Amino acid sequence: MTKIISYQRPENLEEALSLISQDKHVPLAGGTQLNTNEDTEPLHLVDLQSLALKGIASSNGKLKIGSMTTLHEIMKNSDCPDLIRLSSRSELPSTLRTLATIGGTIASGDSDSQLIASLLVHDAEVTILNSSDGELSVPLQEVLIKPEGLESELIISIDIATDGKSLLEATGRTPADTPIVSVAARRCSDGDRMAVTGVAPTPVLVDPENPTVSLQPPSDFRGDSEYRIHLVKILASRALDLLNGEK
Amino acid sequence: MQINIELNGQETAIECEAHETLLMVLRREGMSSVRFGSSTGETGASAVLFDDLLASSEVILAAQANGHSVVTLESLNTDSSLHPVQAAFAATGAMQSGYSVGAMILGTLQLLKETPDPSEIEIRDMLSGILDRETAYVKPVAAVKQAAAVLRGEEPEPFRPLILKPMTDGVNAVEVDPDDSPPEASDAIPRLIPSSEVPSTSVVGQPEVKVDAVRLVKGNPAFTADFDIRGLLHAKVLRSPHAHARITSIDDSEALAIPGVHAVIHHENINRIKYASGGQSYPNPKPHDQVSFDNKVRHVGDRVAAVAAETPQIAEEACALIKVEYEVLPAVFDELDAGNPDAPVIHDEVDTVDIADRDRNLVHQIFAERGDVDSALQNADRTYEQTFRVHQVQPAPIEPHISTAWLDSDERLVVRTATQVPFHTRRMLAPLVGMDIKDVRIIKPRIGGGFGAKQEMLIEDIVAHLAIATRQPVQLELTRAEEFYASRTRHPQTLTYRTGVDSEGNLVAQELKLVGNTGPYGTHGYTVQTVAGLRGLSSYNCDNKRFDCDVMYTNIPVPGAYRGYGAPQALFGLEAHMEDIALDLGMDPIEFRRQNWVKVGDEMNIAPHLGEQGTTEEELDEYPKVMSNGIEECVAQGSRAIGWHRRHDESWKNPVDRTHIRRGLGFAFCMHGTSIPFLDMGGCSIKLNDDGSFNMLVGATDLGTGADTVLGQIAAEVLGVPLEDIRVYSSDTDVTPFDTGAYASSTTYISGTAAKKAADVVRTRLKERAAMLLDIEIPCSIELRDRRAWAPDGRSVSLEEIALDSLHLNEQEQIMGTGSHVSPDCPPPFAAQFVEIEIDIETGQIEIIKMVMAVDCGVAINPVTASGQVEGGMLQALGYAHCEEIVLDDKGAMVNPSFGPYRIYRADEMPKTEVFLVQTMEDSGPFGAKAVAEIPKDGVAPAVRNAILNATGVRIDELPFTPERVHRALKGN
Ligand SMILES: Cc1cc2nc3c(=O)[nH]c(=O)nc-3n(C[C@H](O)[C@H](O)[C@H](O)COP(=O)(O)OP(=O)(O)OC[C@H]3O[C@@H](n4cnc5c(N)ncnc54)[C@H](O)[C@@H]3O)c2cc1C
Ligand code: FES
């Protein structure tokens, strides 16, 4: 269990921003990661549930997903692209995906997140709010690589493109296991995108023609670096075959 | 702070603290159906409907829930009746321990509200967040379907076994026609193949609903954690960060200074009394190499100290403030390195004796031989040698170890505990706390799964020491991480088989050389390896057999008992080895086994030489024989169900539309044991009540296995009453008769015979009293049936009339009987395990498509609970084969002590399973029963291995078959 000093539930964004700018204050979304992390320092939690950040809406060809939207809600929403719905389901089991949010998923940036990889290929843009710049829209890949994390910033929403054809290929120990490596791919009018999990500290966009270039995957008991590279090659080529309508 | 939640429809104000979870406050509010499985939510045992959606309550902060609605299983319990969903879970045998059934029922309610006719995929997705080690989700899926039908207003089919015609005469093999397909039925329905030798019965053999079903489907208080005691303190254990170290100093002053801390115990203030923690018969196998707290630690997670405090958080804080200095010592983890001259000596203390060779970390040398293996190997036409390595896994019951201890008003020590062995625990615990056995009482309530991990006195001594030190009740519940690295696991082993075969394909010699890894303590180390030898050398006839085994100390988390108990390791090796020999001989793998496997009348020629209490080298005058064996029928039913003929069909094996996929089928022959002969003992007492019902007390420990139900069915059959008239209570060392406990596949066979004997005594007396009332000379001419005693002339009296007469009216007496049983026999159950797999030859990922087990367990006293044992056993066995593994880093710390990284199968990824119960009549068992609980652990790993071989021609002799390992094997390295 996380060590928790205090719990607060701000009613508006200004209040929330000013709270999280204080020392050891962090945003709380679903809590599936934050409330279960035993290794953190004692924290003040700032619960975002009253900030009206939930919901899914279409606007000029894009889909805007509020950061507090749960993976369950995304999975059930028929406006969302199939791949996004599917990876919201595969990300967590039934008893956790009703709590976990898309904002929390992005903020934790888990290397193995199929949902993040799927969002990456759907050109996700993250709307972030901080007290100095106000709202700004940042490509998801830039949010993920921020070394200092999202200090004193709030994820407000995520915009994704819904056109094109997208899919995900994965290898895990069992069918519903968190994949050792997964490859998400999308084809739309202006070309292909590809993102890979399990090869870097967060899911990463790669060159669909040359997906392993500059990858240096970590090794663990589920697969060493070399095996992970091998999986990227195989899964990427399968993904392209599927996009090409082969097989 | 105060929160307001709508709890089961009622606005409820609750005081709580910022760090508290919804689970904690719900339990404090008396919601016993919401249960702890881990602190990260992935077991789902704590799931509730949170704003109408299923969610794990241990990951929700109580404060987060402020203003929301929460529904628990208790919401359904408005009167004594069952809601249709509860009734469906009871009727289909969908729960064994029932620890997580609350979450499953709530999920079902929610699913059916949105989707009245859900698909199997939707049902399994709903269950994906509720882990179950017992049912393999097969019967829960059936329960949801049945509940859906009832709620749609349909009449559901009664949940009964599907009766199939035998395909064989019970002795001879048959050729299975590829076009003959088995009758369709849901996976959850056991397929029962009756035997004409089995007499008909009215309660035995019926799919009776479990006697504890109501308590479980209502989520009523039933488990150790559900019972509140005033003034309860909570314990936490400080555990070693080092795999091997000497404690040079320990300072508890800061910990003791925290308000709310009541006691800190460690090696400086607890008496040093040697013991072995395995829950086994007196005298416990040696060496006795443990003490409650030692000045040395021998694995990461070993005990250093324990704290009792007012809350678990305070206890944890106090643990962190205990100052311990260690002299870190070198450590060794691999059983093959443990005997090297440079390996550290793990038990260098002088007060541990009976170690075979302390300096080489050799705990035991076990040796048994029949005939002359060396000369038989020399004279054999062909000889084969093959080495296998098997890994470490954890039983992973969803209820972690939990115990509560207190001193009662007579100042006796009472421990309510999740144990498989209450009587052994009482005997082993008393000396550690300096009390007499008569002053210790162990109560076993419902248990949320054990699978061997709880055949151990694991934490009872800690709570007992703390309760005595504080004179207050103390509870300790292990965390999920502790359950992984500080409870008990399966022994890793290196096994080498050598086999000699003559020109006709008969075995002439078979040797198993085994190096067993018993970790830092010898608990179960002797007996698990002995059973590995016994099981590894019993399946096939052969005059020359040898078991040669070294058991080594290392610094891994402690191995102990785990369902299967050495057999899964040995049969992985044996059944892979036999497959490879058959193929080398150009023989059909089943035909080669059939030529050699033991049949009715064959001697079990190594069994008496490998006992729990030691080996004997002397030849016996007579060897036990196999008296019942249904394997031919099992093979016929299983091969038809799996489509065994497809194993040579190249077009099926190499699907043209999926060029990276290969398909394969695999088989394993399984033989297990039933109880430990001359050792396992069970007792039972039965007494008659005023209304003609009976109280039955058994020492046997139902862990969710359905033992209470099965023992009740046996008594009901004898007494001529329905099962509901037998009130079964297990087990409490003050109240119930002795029983060795739930292990060694013994309960139905041993405790069941005790129940039958006790019932026989009662029946005899009932007949005598009936004879008095009916004025009949010859009591034995009376029959008991339908709650009445019948004279040959058709007159009858009810058992109630007999009860009232004998308790109140004439020559008053308490009609009661006791029985106990120990068996000289150990009749083996047999089984045919089949699997179908698909393998991705580019990634190494295998997918198990279907598992079929056809098992001869004699007469299944309850076909539904028996098939549930097979389903759950296969799920665990599949985890062993495919994905479960304890991974240690180079310092001996477990890398993956949580579900997810430690992968166990979920509902939404289970292969299809089918269970066939092939009846045989085992005359030595109650109503013909043999064991069924452990044999399903034995065959999956070798069958998957043989299926990989069938699909790709590649042999993998090391577990588990993770994608990377399979990929390397396919690449040839
Ligand atoms: C059993 C289990 C299994 C898991 N398996 C996986 C897995 O397979 N793959 C995977 O990727 N993850 C996994 N996780 C991790 C976790 O569940 C996910 O990352 C989850 O999606 C986090 O969402 P949440 O809403 O619960 O976030 P929280 O736990 O509430 O927060 C997570 C982090 O995000 C920050 N945060 C949340 N919302 C915002 C916001 N709007 N703006 C800025 N910062 C924010 C928080 O401060 C915190 O640091 C698992 C967790 C558990 C308990
Ligand atoms: S044995 Fe005594 S009456 Fe039958």
Side-chain angles (χ1 to χ4, degrees):
Chain A
M1 210 184 353
T2 310
K3 295 164 194 78
I4 292 158
I5 311 168
S6 77
Y7 169 90
Q8 287 163 91
R9 196 188 285 185
E11 293 294 330
N12 56 54
L13 284 170
E14 296 82 82
E15 202 190 327
L17 269 185
S18 87
L19 281 171
I20 63 165
S21 62
Q22 297 171 31
D23 190 30
K24 295 195 182 128
H25 283 61
V26 294
L28 170 67
T32 59
Q33 195 227 38
L34 202 47
N35 295 346
T36 59
N37 187 346
E38 312 208 342
D39 306 325
T40 55
E41 291 282 284
L43 293 174
H44 297 272
L45 297 188
V46 182
D47 190 340
L48 310 182
Q49 64 170 284
S50 297
L51 301 181
L53 295 175
K54 237 184 211 298
I56 301 174
S58 308
S59 69
N60 38 29
K62 294 224 160 196
L63 203 62
K64 188 180 273 306
I65 307 177
S67 64
M68 287 294 283
T69 311
T70 64
L71 306 193
H72 174 84
E73 287 159 344
I74 298 172
M75 174 186 128
K76 292 269 171 185
N77 188 296
S78 53
D79 291 338
C80 286
D82 287 347
L83 175 64
I84 302 292
R85 297 176 66 186
L86 191 78
S87 30
S88 295
R89 169 197 273 202
S90 343
E91 190 89 349
L92 286 171
S94 58
T95 49
L96 293 171
R97 68 168 97 95
T98 46
L99 301 168
T101 65
I102 187 169
T105 304
I106 289 173
S108 22
D110 192 308
S111 162
D112 293 332
S113 172
Q114 300 166 77
L115 178 57
I116 294 182
S118 306
L119 291 168
L120 282 170
V121 298
H122 275 272
D123 301 340
E125 297 260 337
V126 183
T127 302
I128 286 179
L129 179 70
N130 68 32
S131 31
S132 42
D133 310 313
E135 276 199 12
L136 56 157
S137 184
V138 187
L140 174 56
Q141 57 272 33
E142 288 176 28
V143 177
L144 293 173
I145 56 168
K146 273 191 157 184
E148 74 280 21
L150 288 157
E151 200 115 318
S152 307
E153 292 181 326
L154 282 181
I155 298 175
I156 300 296
S157 60
I158 294 89
D159 287 287
I160 57 169
T162 54
D163 58 322
K165 175 178 175 190
S166 58
L167 48 84
L168 185 128
E169 288 285 298
T171 296
R173 291 167 296 179
T174 63
D177 192 13
T178 302
I180 303 165
V181 165
S182 70
V183 171
R186 172 166 162 260
R187 173 162 300 169
C188 55
S189 48
D190 65 350
D192 292 349
R193 293 115 176 98
M194 188 173 275
V196 186
T197 71
V199 295
T202 70
V204 285
L205 279 167
V206 296
D207 175 359
E209 297 299 314
N210 227 332
T212 58
V213 165
S214 80
L215 290 184
Q216 286 180 316
S219 293
D220 78 359
F221 68 95
R222 297 186 305 146
D224 69 8
S225 186
E226 194 192 335
Y227 178 61
R228 285 168 192 262
I229 289 286
H230 169 76
L231 288 181
V232 175
K233 287 185 190 151
I234 298 286
L235 299 174
S237 104
R238 284 186 194 170
L240 289 180
D241 286 350
L242 286 168
L243 287 179
N244 292 335
E246 291 164 21
K247 295 193 183 176
Chain B
M1 64 168 76
Q2 185 187 310
I3 60 166
N4 296 292
I5 57 177
E6 190 195 303
L7 177 56
N8 294 331
Q10 296 274 316
E11 281 305 327
T12 310
I14 303 174
E15 271 305 315
C16 67
E17 292 180 43
H19 69 263
E20 287 190 297
T21 62
L22 182 58
L23 170 68
M24 291 174 185
V25 303
L26 288 176
R27 290 199 61 93
R28 208 156 60 219
E29 290 293 305
M31 304 296 129
S32 56
S33 72
V34 191
R35 298 199 166 101
F36 174 81
S38 75
S39 56
T40 43
E42 75 282 7
T43 70
S46 73
V48 296
L49 294 180
F50 185 63
D51 290 342
D52 292 333
L53 294 175
L54 195 65
S56 286
S57 65
E58 75 254 45
V59 308
I60 306 172
L61 292 178
Q64 260 179 303
N66 191 13
H68 295 267
S69 104
V70 175
V71 173
T72 72
L73 182 58
E74 280 78 4
S75 64
L76 300 184
N77 302 336
T78 46
D79 59 32
S80 64
S81 65
L82 297 183
H83 182 278
V85 177
Q86 290 173 314
F89 272 76
T92 54
M95 73 246 156
Q96 291 184 23
S97 78
Y99 193 73
S100 308
V101 78
M104 291 187 184
I105 290 174
L106 291 173
T108 306
L109 281 176
Q110 177 52 26
L111 175 67
L112 299 184
K113 205 159 94 184
E114 281 178 19
T115 320
D117 192 4
S119 67
E120 174 132 356
I121 290 179
E122 287 168 313
I123 297 172
R124 288 183 174 274
D125 183 58
M126 178 275 287
L127 292 170
S128 67
I130 306 165
L131 298 179
D132 190 338
R133 295 290 275 172
E134 299 163 5
T135 66
Y137 316 101
V138 181
K139 292 189 165 69
V141 170
V144 179
K145 290 182 182 166
Q146 183 175 108
V150 173
L151 291 176
R152 290 193 306 265
E154 296 161 20
E155 183 79 36
E157 301 249 322
F159 197 76
R160 306 196 66 79
L162 174 71
I163 309 293
L164 293 183
K165 280 209 208 75
M167 297 170 69
T168 68
D169 60 5
V171 180
N172 295 297
V174 290
E175 193 68 33
V176 178
D177 176 358
D179 297 326
D180 177 12
S181 52
E184 289 286 318
S186 129
D187 283 9
I189 303 277
R191 283 78 169 147
L192 185 74
I193 298 91
S195 154
S196 56
E197 288 171 37
V198 177
S200 89
T201 45
S202 49
V203 188
V204 158
Q206 299 303 316
E208 298 282 351
V209 170
K210 272 164 64 96
V211 295
D212 48 359
V214 168
R215 174 169 25 171
L216 299 176
V217 288
K218 289 195 159 199
N220 290 341
F223 298 88
T224 303
D226 298 346
F227 299 96
D228 241 356
I229 302 188
R230 198 183 299 170
L232 183 66
L233 300 177
H234 298 269
K236 286 278 173 191
V237 182
L238 176 65
R239 299 194 175 275
S240 168
H242 305 295
H244 194 195
R246 227 175 280 287
I247 298 174
T248 54
S249 77
I250 187 160
D251 175 359
D252 58 16
S253 51
E254 277 185 44
L256 278 168
I258 310 184
V261 171
H262 288 241
V264 181
I265 55 174
H266 44 73
H267 77 91
E268 289 182 356
N269 59 16
I270 292 293
N271 282 342
R272 185 177 176 88
I273 296 166
K274 307 295 296 191
Y275 72 102
S277 61
Q280 296 182 275
S281 284
Y282 171 85
N284 286 60
K286 289 169 174 159
H288 298 180
D289 53 9
Q290 289 164 268
V291 294
S292 284
F293 293 93
D294 207 345
N295 55 12
K296 196 178 177 193
V297 287
R298 299 180 181 83
H299 70 100
V300 175
D302 208 353
R303 302 165 170 195
V304 175
V307 174
E310 277 156 27
T311 67
Q313 289 69 37
I314 300 175
E316 204 169 302
E317 268 172 56
C319 280
L321 290 176
I322 301 170
K323 290 212 181 75
V324 188
E325 279 171 27
Y326 298 95
E327 175 199 342
V328 178
L329 303 168
V332 62
F333 307 107
D334 190 320
E335 64 270 14
L336 300 183
D337 298 336
N340 291 346
D342 60 348
V345 178
I346 294 171
H347 282 276
D348 50 355
E349 69 280 3
V350 292
D351 58 357
T352 298
V353 292
D354 303 306
I355 300 174
D357 183 350
R358 179 191 308 271
D359 296 333
R360 284 177 48 223
N361 292 314
L362 176 68
V363 198
H364 305 285
Q365 251 178 332
I366 309 170
F367 184 85
E369 181 161 12
R370 296 297 316 282
D372 183 346
V373 168
D374 288 328
S375 71
L377 279 172
Q378 249 164 21
N379 298 325
D381 275 278
R382 299 195 199 194
T383 60
Y384 299 89
E385 177 170 340
Q386 202 166 359
T387 295
F388 301 89
R389 297 215 66 176
V390 291
H391 63 306
Q392 191 174 25
V393 291
Q394 217 266 323
I398 301 304
E399 177 199 44
H401 282 78
I402 175 167
S403 304
T404 313
W406 68 93
L407 296 172
D408 72 7
S409 37
D410 295 320
E411 310 230 338
R412 295 168 74 226
L413 175 70
V414 187
V415 188
R416 186 184 287 120
T417 181
T419 183
Q420 300 176 224
V421 283
F423 286 90
H424 293 333
T425 300
R426 176 177 67 169
R427 172 176 44 82
M428 291 155 59
L429 178 59
L432 296 192
V433 293
M435 292 175 93
D436 294 334
I437 289 178
K438 63 174 178 272
D439 289 326
V440 177
R441 174 179 179 189
I442 308 289
I443 302 170
K444 176 220 72 103
R446 294 291 94 184
I447 304 299
F451 320 121
K454 294 172 180 167
Q455 192 201 337
E456 194 84 11
M457 190 190 62
L458 188 75
I459 56 172
E460 287 85 352
D461 62 317
I462 298 177
V463 285
H465 286 305
L466 287 170
I468 291 166
T470 60
R471 300 188 65 76
Q472 267 179 261
V474 179
Q475 184 170 85
L476 173 60
E477 179 173 49
L478 294 192
T479 64
R480 181 54 53 187
E482 286 179 304
E483 190 63 35
F484 275 114
Y485 59 69
S487 83
R488 295 294 180 259
T489 62
R490 190 177 301 296
H491 288 79
Q493 295 175 345
T494 303
L495 309 102
T496 303
Y497 274 96
R498 277 207 299 166
T499 299
V501 185
D502 71 13
S503 56
E504 265 106 58
N506 300 309
L507 300 196
V508 295
Q510 191 154 55
E511 177 194 59
L512 171 56
K513 272 203 156 116
L514 193 155
V515 186
N517 187 337
T518 192
Y521 300 108
T523 169
H524 293 284
Y526 182 81
T527 39
V528 165
Q529 324 312 314
T530 306
V531 170
L534 168 64
R535 298 271 57 98
L537 292 170
S538 287
S539 298
Y540 300 101
N541 287 319
C542 177
D543 290 336
N544 304 291
K545 290 182 178 174
R546 181 161 65 205
F547 180 56
D548 185 355
C549 170
D550 289 345
V551 188
M552 310 303 294
Y553 281 133
T554 67
N555 298 106
I556 64 172
V558 188
Y562 180 14
R563 190 173 179 189
Y565 208 81
Q569 295 100 312
L571 288 199
F572 170 60
L574 178 63
E575 288 303 298
H577 187 54
M578 292 296 283
E579 181 88 8
D580 290 4
I581 297 175
L583 295 177
D584 184 71
L585 293 172
M587 287 181 71
D588 175 80
I590 294 185
E591 193 46 48
F592 170 62
R593 288 177 175 90
R594 171 178 288 128
Q595 190 174 320
N596 289 286
W597 65 40
V598 291
K599 300 169 186 74
V600 170
D602 287 343
E603 278 183 353
M604 293 184 275
N605 59 359
I606 193 108
H609 295 277
L610 288 167
E612 172 156 331
Q613 307 280 10
T615 55
T616 89
E617 286 185 30
E618 257 168 62
E619 292 277 314
L620 309 186
D621 296 337
E622 210 187 337
Y623 282 83
K625 292 195 168 102
V626 174
M627 303 305 286
S628 59
N629 185 343
I631 190 61
E632 284 303 348
E633 184 64 33
C634 293
V635 167
Q637 295 285 352
S639 13
R640 183 173 69 168
I642 202 82
W644 186 237
H645 60 275
R646 294 178 298 173
R647 73 198 181 284
H648 299 310
D649 177 348
E650 292 303 321
S651 65
W652 177 75
K653 290 170 69 177
N654 306 291
V656 278
D657 51 337
R658 295 158 73 209
T659 50
H660 58 282
I661 294 294
R662 296 290 177 275
R663 296 193 178 117
L665 297 175
F667 168 80
F669 168 61
C670 309
M671 170 181 180
H672 209 95
T674 301
S675 81
I676 311 172
F678 300 107
L679 196 65
D680 284 344
M681 197 280 268
C684 172
S685 74
I686 298 176
K687 75 172 163 58
L688 175 69
N689 297 320
D690 304 51
D691 60 351
S693 70
F694 301 89
N695 288 119
M696 173 165 149
L697 302 179
V698 289
T701 40
D702 190 333
L703 311 171
T705 45
D708 287 357
T709 307
V710 161
L711 301 183
Q713 283 180 260
I714 289 171
E717 183 70 40
V718 174
L719 295 167
V721 296
L723 177 58
E724 66 191 70
D725 285 3
I726 310 279
R727 294 288 150 181
V728 188
Y729 179 73
S730 72
S731 18
D732 176 335
T733 57
D734 264 16
V735 179
T736 62
F738 178 87
D739 195 289
T740 39
Y743 59 89
S745 288
S746 64
T747 302
T748 302
Y749 184 72
I750 296 292
S751 313
T753 305
K756 185 162 182 290
K757 287 180 176 176
D760 280 336
V761 172
V762 174
R763 182 177 62 169
T764 302
R765 193 63 197 141
L766 285 170
K767 288 182 177 187
E768 288 163 358
R769 296 284 314 201
M772 282 165 57
L773 288 169
L774 294 167
D775 209 9
I776 280 185
E777 295 272 304
I778 306 169
C780 70
S781 65
I782 289 177
E783 248 186 70
L784 300 185
R785 114 179 91 80
D786 299 334
R787 296 178 162 138
R788 303 187 73 82
W790 298 83
D793 59 13
R795 289 178 303 132
S796 69
V797 282
S798 69
L799 298 193
E800 183 176 14
E801 288 166 299
I802 299 175
L804 292 172
D805 183 68
S806 62
L807 290 170
H808 302 283
L809 302 175
N810 292 303
E811 294 174 42
Q812 287 91 325
E813 64 172 311
Q814 169 69 68
I815 295 180
M816 66 186 294
T818 63
S820 59
H821 188 65
V822 59
S823 175
D825 303 315
C826 174
F830 294 93
Q833 176 74 59
F834 291 90
V835 303
E836 174 185 335
I837 66 156
E838 283 187 3
I839 172 164
D840 182 329
I841 53 167
E842 291 173 351
T843 64
Q845 177 179 266
I846 56 174
E847 187 174 348
I848 304 349
I849 305 298
K850 186 170 178 180
M851 302 194 285
V852 173
M853 183 173 237
V855 49
D856 153 26
C857 60
V859 172
I861 304 289
N862 184 325
V864 170
T865 59
S867 62
Q869 286 292 305
V870 180
E871 287 149 5
M874 281 199 289
L875 167 134
Q876 296 177 352
L878 177 60
Y880 185 54
H882 191 193
C883 54
E884 293 181 33
E885 57 182 322
I886 288 180
V887 182
L888 304 180
D889 66 16
D890 58 358
K891 299 264 189 308
M894 185 172 170
V895 173
N896 57 337
S898 63
F899 290 126
Y902 185 95
R903 186 71 194 168
I904 70 176
Y905 262 84
R906 272 175 23 184
D908 57 344
E909 57 182 347
M910 271 302 287
K912 273 181 76 59
T913 56
E914 277 176 31
V915 177
F916 293 77
L917 301 172
V918 170
Q919 268 194 350
T920 58
M921 185 67 201
E922 172 59 43
D923 289 322
S924 71
F927 295 103
K930 301 191 275 192
V932 72
E934 292 186 281
I935 196 167
K937 299 302 297 278
D938 295 347
V940 175
V944 171
R945 183 261 185 205
N946 295 339
I948 296 172
L949 176 61
N950 177 241
T952 64
V954 170
R955 301 180 157 83
I956 309 180
D957 292 342
E958 190 171 348
L959 294 175
F961 303 122
T962 50
E964 189 179 24
R965 170 166 294 130
V966 174
H967 173 69
R968 284 184 200 291
L970 291 171
K971 279 200 331 194
N973 57 23

